[in-house]
Amino acid sequence: MAFPFQTDVSLAPFNTFGLPGTAKRYADIRSASQLVKLVRSGELNGDRVVILGGGSNVLLSGDIDGTVLHIRIPGRELIGGDDDYHFVRAGAGENWHEFVRWTLTMGWPGLENLSLIPGTVGAAPVQNIGAYGLEVCERFMILEAVDLKSGALMSFDFKDCHFGYRDSMFKHEGAGRFVITSVTFRLPKRWTALTRYVDVARELATRGIIDPKPLDVSDTIMAVRSRKLPDPAQIGNVGSFFKNPVVDARHYAELLATFPEIPSYKQIDGSVKIAAGWLIDQAGWKGRALGQVGMYEHQALVMVNHGGATGQDVLRLAAAVRRDVNDRFGVSLEMEPALI
Ligand code: EPU
């Protein structure tokens, strides 16, 4: 039986920036086996295929003259464990934050620092989401993905994923080829709170919490995030718009000589990561708009939709910000979300 595609579907409700665009063909995917069948049927052959999860890390450039696979595979369960870890699996379509809160209420902590990050479970490993001293790769065990070339359901372990800062092989050689259908996490049985991040430590102190439990950490992170980052349900955005750039030691020394207050983080290889939000702020873009988009007033690294923005508005502001930061600091900013 032919797959029940929908045609000319508006994608505005499915991307958190709220950008306009339609998909010529649209498939609502609810299981890995359904996707395997669809690939093997040959119905996708010759068509451009775009994979969409929670739509919180993509920029829609306009209409998509191809097929959008909207991954909405549900499911979450404890699948096992050993002396040190609980193994917890979730379907790629599960909402990330709801999944994190569920693990905490079940008594399997470890993901609390990643509370309130928008998007789905399946998108988390793609860009190796991270916040407040934790990256998801530190809790990752294995994932399953369907190969769009062969229709095979494959497993990828930590090494296969080539995780980096906001990066994995699913953004490079695996892009457009593997569709993640489930992810399994390894959550530590001997848990300690990760609260070294200044904003988090300060908020815990304000709340008078000395020995935080996992849900306390999650609540605290949610409060800290909410102050700085706009809620996509209210103001269209995709979180950090640029990655924090990494410069070599010499370039950093030059910058430091002129800008002694520059926020930076030394990397193990001697290079230095610089806060892009600070660079954009200093370049005068914090709270400033161009057309229907602007850089957020409380966190200059986040681009926001002031209403009715198009993909072209986004690209125009991105180019202006990159140019000004480059002129002032000689640093080149790289976009974090994927352009589709
Ligand atoms: N800063 C400014 N002005 C601004 C924004 C930031 O001066 O407008 C300064 C801050 O004062 C601070 C430094 O820049 O000294 C860093 O800012 P912040 O602590 O807010 O973190 P970030 O580096 O801008 C990263 C992640 C966020 C994550 C936070 C917290 C990236 C690209 N972004 O932001 O991730 O929530 O750390 O861990 O790595 C995301 O990826 O979508 C995201 C929101």
Side-chain angles (χ1 to χ4, degrees):
M1 204 176 71
F3 189 89
F5 288 108
Q6 292 167 252
T7 50
D8 299 322
V9 172
S10 166
L11 298 174
F14 304 138
N15 75 97
T16 63
F17 213 106
L19 295 171
T22 56
K24 196 180 70 185
R25 272 201 315 180
Y26 169 94
D28 189 6
I29 302 294
R30 298 296 177 133
S31 70
S33 57
Q34 187 192 20
L35 182 57
V36 165
K37 254 206 231 146
L38 173 59
V39 176
R40 294 201 168 146
S41 73
E43 288 187 80
L44 297 174
N45 293 355
D47 208 6
R48 180 183 172 214
V49 173
V50 171
I51 304 151
L52 188 62
S56 61
N57 206 48
V58 291
L59 288 172
L60 194 56
S61 53
D63 292 342
I64 293 181
D65 185 24
T67 303
V68 168
L69 302 178
H70 196 182
I71 310 305
R72 303 220 279 185
I73 301 168
R76 46 197 193 189
E77 60 181 322
L78 181 71
I79 59 163
D82 59 17
D83 288 348
D84 299 320
Y85 298 98
H86 300 289
F87 305 152
V88 182
R89 182 169 63 199
E94 290 284 331
N95 173 275
W96 173 259
H97 175 68
E98 283 166 20
F99 169 66
V100 170
R101 293 293 291 195
W102 174 76
T103 58
L104 301 179
T105 54
M106 295 302 282
W108 310 317
L111 296 172
E112 56 285 341
N113 287 42
L114 306 179
S115 295
L116 218 55
I117 293 185
T120 55
V121 166
V126 174
Q127 54 150 343
N128 187 17
I129 57 171
Y132 306 106
L134 182 75
E135 286 187 344
V136 79
C137 68
E138 296 170 67
R139 301 284 185 253
F140 175 88
M141 185 171 161
I142 201 156
L143 63 76
E144 282 190 323
V146 173
D147 181 355
L148 289 180
K149 256 193 187 165
S150 63
L153 184 61
M154 299 167 63
S155 292
F156 293 83
D157 66 13
F158 182 90
K159 273 215 322 278
D160 299 328
C161 294
H162 302 159
F163 289 117
Y165 164 61
R166 294 296 191 278
D167 208 28
S168 75
M169 78 89 154
F170 298 100
K171 283 177 97 168
H172 301 280
E173 64 271 31
R177 170 153 183 198
F178 300 111
V179 180
I180 296 170
T181 53
S182 78
V183 185
T184 303
F185 301 90
R186 249 169 27 139
L187 304 177
K189 288 189 173 168
R190 276 178 290 280
W191 176 83
T192 46
L194 276 181
T195 56
R196 53 180 183 267
Y197 200 93
V198 202
D199 287 356
V200 178
R202 202 179 292 144
E203 177 70 21
L204 281 166
T206 309
R207 294 174 170 228
I209 300 172
I210 294 154
D211 180 21
K213 302 284 169 281
L215 275 165
D216 295 327
V217 177
S218 176
D219 291 346
T220 301
I221 301 266
M222 287 171 70
V224 171
R225 271 190 85 90
S226 307
R227 270 202 294 275
K228 280 197 183 175
L229 300 168
D231 175 358
Q234 326 243 310
I235 306 172
N237 77 91
V238 288
S240 298
F241 191 86
F242 296 104
K243 292 186 189 186
N244 284 330
V246 177
V247 299
D248 62 29
R250 222 174 73 194
H251 192 171
Y252 176 64
E254 283 166 22
L255 285 167
L256 201 59
T258 324
F259 309 100
E261 70 286 19
I262 195 164
S264 57
Y265 322 91
K266 285 223 162 59
Q267 307 295 292
I268 16 179
D269 64 357
S271 62
V272 182
K273 195 188 275 180
I274 296 175
W278 184 88
L279 298 171
I280 298 166
D281 190 346
Q282 293 296 308
W285 277 104
K286 188 172 188 165
R288 195 169 142 202
L290 184 67
Q292 299 309 109
V293 291
M295 303 313 290
Y296 191 51
E297 55 182 332
H298 301 302
Q299 171 37 307
L301 188 50
V302 178
M303 192 187 287
V304 291
N305 183 352
H306 290 305
T310 62
Q312 296 316 306
D313 288 328
V314 171
L315 294 179
R316 199 157 55 107
L317 176 57
V321 170
R322 289 191 77 214
R323 185 198 56 218
D324 287 359
V325 166
N326 202 20
D327 286 355
R328 177 113 193 248
F329 301 100
V331 174
S332 167
L333 293 180
E334 195 189 320
M335 259 170 60
E336 195 188 75
L339 198 66
I340 57 169

